[in-house]
Amino acid sequence: MSRANGKLAFFISIGKIAAMLLNFVMPVFLSRFLTREEYGLYSQFYLVHNFLGSICAFGIQSNLYYFFPGVTEERKKIITWNTLITLCCFGVCGGLCLLIPSIRNFLLNEELRQYLNIIILCIIFYVPSLLIDPLGVVRNNKILVMFYHPVSILLKVVFVISFALIFHSLESIFYAILLLEIIIFVFLLLYVLRFYPLCCRPFLSRELMRKQLAYSLPFGIAVCLNTLCMQIDKIICTNYLTLSDYAIYSIAFFGIPGIMQIYDALCQVNVLDMAKYHKEKNRQGMLNSYKMFVTKTLSFSLPIILVGCLFSPQIIDLIFSSKYHEAIPFFRLYLFTFIFGMMGAGTILRAIGKTTYSMYAYLLSAIVGIPCTYFLISHFGIWGAIISAMINTILPKLLQIIFECRIMRCSFVDYLPWGNIVKIVAISVCLISFLVVLDNCIHWNIYFVLLVSIFYIFVTYLFEIEYGVFLLDKSIISAKLKGLYGKKRK
């Protein structure tokens, strides 16, 4: 990863971590303000919102990572407006598809259909807003990538809590979310007009649009299939689980805040790096960049995943209250799927424009996973749902790894940085084993859990730095510390 892109990843991470910290307020408030049934309905609202939003966007916003590097400003303007207008059209089509009875009845249960109009409008405004992230990255706009997420989450917290306390209804919370979607859409429109005004022609190109769609089509189908694989268990659960049980099930996917935020930041920048290596026909450079990416993501995430599994009772109690303790085993099981996610399977395919293979991976996974999901949920309820969720998460990643090994003409041994992985796993597991022993002897309160968790993660990162497998190199950290010390001396 280049130095400039490394700084960009840092700013993206700061913004997303700040957003994550602010996002804690929502479940803390809503899980206590709403009944378990209402929280279940709120979770289903966001399920449909994110499910349709992801599918309707069709991954078109990601084409900026591939088309922006090395082109003129005029070309960048055309790429941006092509993408924005396409996303707006997709958003409208996606929202209106809920007017089709068969689709509406499949996605919305009887309780959720009462809010049909709000859901349609949310999707129409949400889909174009997905352009903000990649646009900030490819423009190297550090202010946007750092402040967009925390500011949007802050507005969400303010709107939702204010509307809830003033109007005392679940419907008012949904209207607060709609208001936020409209504000974000207006911001996106003003931002694009600021840097790519319509007064200067041309701002659209059919020829370039065809190329963008040709690139995005297989990736878009892969995104749709991925969304289907990742969410089909939850969609089916809306018809098999009560609202109360669905509230429990939805908490399993809360995850560990911070992991995906940093991963997304590193991933976005790493795809840009690998795309440059691909255009330079430097296959080994691409593979080395990918290995470095895997080392970085696993080094910061594995210790957090392990400590999250160990102290999940205290985490659930702190964020959601004790009435959601039934979610603990499902929360722990799903956390382990994050380890597979940290491998970054599919990023090489995106960087080299071979997104068709990602489509094949998710298509095969859907063929296997969807029937399994129906069977497991219908026969085993919530336990069948969590097992199917794990299958649908892991299987496409494994298939993408197989495809990437073939395309890169390397063995599975050469594909991953196994030496670094062994070091990271050994350090993390050895240190967490001491806490596991103590956990069986001591009743931890939340304050002690926080202190112990921070200490464990800090010590683990120190060992990783010493062995050269951490997110940041030892030389960079030493240089920064010396610089800070020198400033203090002055």
Side-chain angles (χ1 to χ4, degrees):
M1 187 180 293
S2 66
R3 188 177 182 85
N5 284 343
K7 288 183 178 179
L8 182 60
F10 173 76
F11 282 104
I12 297 172
S13 300
I14 291 296
K16 292 197 172 186
I17 291 172
M20 172 267 297
L21 294 174
L22 286 169
N23 211 25
F24 266 115
V25 179
M26 291 301 296
V28 170
F29 172 76
L30 290 176
S31 61
R32 289 160 174 81
F33 179 81
L34 302 174
T35 65
R36 216 161 87 167
E37 288 74 17
E38 287 175 329
Y39 191 79
L41 191 58
Y42 170 83
S43 299
Q44 290 183 4
F45 174 91
Y46 254 108
L47 165 66
V48 175
H49 174 278
N50 294 337
F51 178 76
L52 268 182
S54 297
I55 285 181
C56 295
F58 214 65
I60 187 73
Q61 70 276 9
S62 296
N63 80 85
L64 269 64
Y65 298 123
Y66 184 78
F67 286 98
F68 252 61
V71 300
T72 63
E73 285 298 312
E74 182 179 344
R75 194 75 164 172
K76 289 176 181 179
K77 179 178 72 173
I78 297 173
I79 293 168
T80 302
W81 276 106
N82 277 354
T83 306
L84 177 58
I85 291 174
T86 303
L87 285 171
C88 289
C89 293
F90 286 1
V92 172
C93 292
L96 295 180
C97 78
L98 284 175
L99 297 176
I100 301 172
S102 57
I103 296 176
R104 181 173 66 245
N105 294 336
F106 175 69
L107 292 176
L108 308 179
N109 57 27
E110 188 175 346
E111 292 86 354
L112 208 52
R113 286 174 211 152
Q114 301 173 39
Y115 310 103
L116 176 63
N117 292 335
I118 303 176
I119 295 172
I120 290 174
L121 290 173
C122 279
I123 291 167
I124 288 173
F125 288 107
Y126 169 70
V127 171
S129 70
L130 294 173
L131 181 62
I132 294 177
D133 252 348
L135 190 57
V137 173
V138 296
R139 284 188 52 80
N140 197 26
N141 190 328
K142 298 180 179 66
I143 294 176
L144 178 63
V145 299
M146 185 166 66
F147 287 106
Y148 164 65
H149 286 285
V151 170
S152 63
I153 294 298
L154 179 61
L155 288 175
K156 179 182 175 182
V157 169
V158 171
F159 288 172
V160 167
I161 293 179
S162 299
F163 277 50
L165 294 176
I166 294 171
F167 299 104
H168 302 283
S169 69
L170 183 61
E171 185 177 19
S172 66
I173 292 175
F174 295 154
Y175 274 115
I177 295 167
L178 174 59
L179 177 59
L180 176 65
E181 303 286 9
I182 294 171
I183 290 174
I184 292 175
F185 174 75
V186 172
F187 167 77
L188 169 65
L189 197 58
L190 293 175
Y191 182 83
V192 174
L193 286 169
R194 165 70 176 80
F195 292 100
Y196 304 112
L198 293 176
C199 59
C200 304
R201 293 187 177 185
F203 66 91
L204 292 176
S205 168
R206 290 185 181 180
E207 179 189 354
L208 184 56
M209 176 72 81
R210 282 194 291 268
K211 292 180 180 179
Q212 289 176 272
L213 290 175
Y215 170 84
S216 300
L217 181 62
F219 180 66
I221 294 174
V223 168
C224 293
L225 291 170
N226 177 36
T227 303
L228 186 62
C229 288
M230 296 292 287
Q231 306 290 355
I232 189 63
D233 56 298
K234 303 171 191 66
I235 295 292
I236 296 173
C237 280
T238 61
N239 296 309
Y240 280 92
L241 301 182
T242 65
L243 288 175
S244 179
D245 286 341
Y246 189 86
I248 292 294
Y249 184 63
S250 65
I251 288 172
F253 303 94
F254 184 71
I256 299 278
I259 291 180
M260 291 311 300
Q261 286 79 6
I262 298 176
Y263 172 82
D264 287 341
L266 292 172
C267 182
Q268 290 168 7
V269 173
N270 191 62
V271 169
L272 284 175
D273 280 342
M274 290 195 295
K276 289 177 182 177
Y277 282 124
H278 171 64
K279 290 176 181 180
E280 294 168 1
K281 297 183 180 180
N282 186 348
R283 187 178 68 88
Q284 191 58 47
M286 278 190 62
L287 194 58
N288 291 339
S289 179
Y290 173 73
K291 288 181 178 180
M292 186 183 300
F293 168 67
V294 173
T295 299
K296 289 177 181 293
T297 56
L298 198 61
S299 69
F300 80 82
S301 64
L302 185 59
I304 300 174
I305 291 171
L306 293 178
V307 83
C309 286
L310 179 60
F311 296 126
S312 54
Q314 292 85 353
I315 294 172
I316 297 293
D317 194 39
L318 172 67
I319 300 173
F320 298 100
S321 80
S322 57
K323 64 182 178 182
Y324 292 95
H325 266 202
E326 296 171 50
I328 291 170
F330 311 113
F331 179 79
R332 281 174 166 164
L333 280 172
Y334 195 72
L335 273 185
F336 280 107
T337 64
F338 279 70
I339 297 174
F340 289 89
M342 293 300 109
M343 297 300 177
T347 53
I348 291 178
L349 298 177
R350 286 172 59 188
I352 64 177
K354 298 288 185 179
T355 50
T356 304
Y357 288 95
S358 288
M359 179 187 71
Y360 293 152
Y362 287 111
L363 178 61
L364 292 172
S365 300
I367 292 171
V368 174
I370 292 175
C372 286
T373 301
Y374 270 105
F375 174 80
L376 290 169
I377 293 176
S378 60
H379 285 78
F380 302 102
I382 194 169
W383 279 101
I386 195 65
I387 293 170
S388 65
M390 294 178 71
I391 293 171
N392 292 332
T393 301
I394 295 171
L395 183 57
K397 299 295 181 186
L398 294 177
L399 292 173
Q400 283 178 316
I401 288 173
I402 292 171
F403 289 140
E404 287 182 337
C405 285
R406 290 181 178 179
I407 289 172
M408 297 298 291
R409 298 191 298 276
C410 66
S411 65
F412 188 59
V413 174
D414 295 328
Y415 174 78
L416 290 171
W418 288 107
N420 290 343
I421 291 174
V422 169
K423 290 177 184 177
I424 293 167
V425 171
I427 293 168
S428 303
V429 172
C430 287
L431 292 176
I432 198 72
S433 61
F434 294 105
L435 296 185
V436 172
V437 174
L438 289 175
D439 187 51
N440 292 320
C441 306
I442 301 172
H443 176 71
W444 310 87
N445 63 48
I446 188 61
Y447 303 106
F448 200 52
V449 163
L450 290 173
L451 288 173
V452 170
S453 299
I454 293 170
F455 180 74
Y456 161 75
I457 293 170
F458 178 72
V459 172
T460 304
Y461 287 171
L462 285 179
F463 275 98
E464 289 179 348
I465 292 169
E466 183 62 31
Y467 285 93
V469 291
F470 186 55
L471 182 64
L472 299 174
D473 293 333
K474 185 177 180 180
S475 58
I476 295 175
I477 296 172
S478 298
K480 293 290 183 183
L481 291 175
K482 287 178 181 178
L484 289 173
Y485 180 72
K487 288 180 181 179
K488 288 181 179 180
R489 289 287 298 270
K490 291 179 182 179

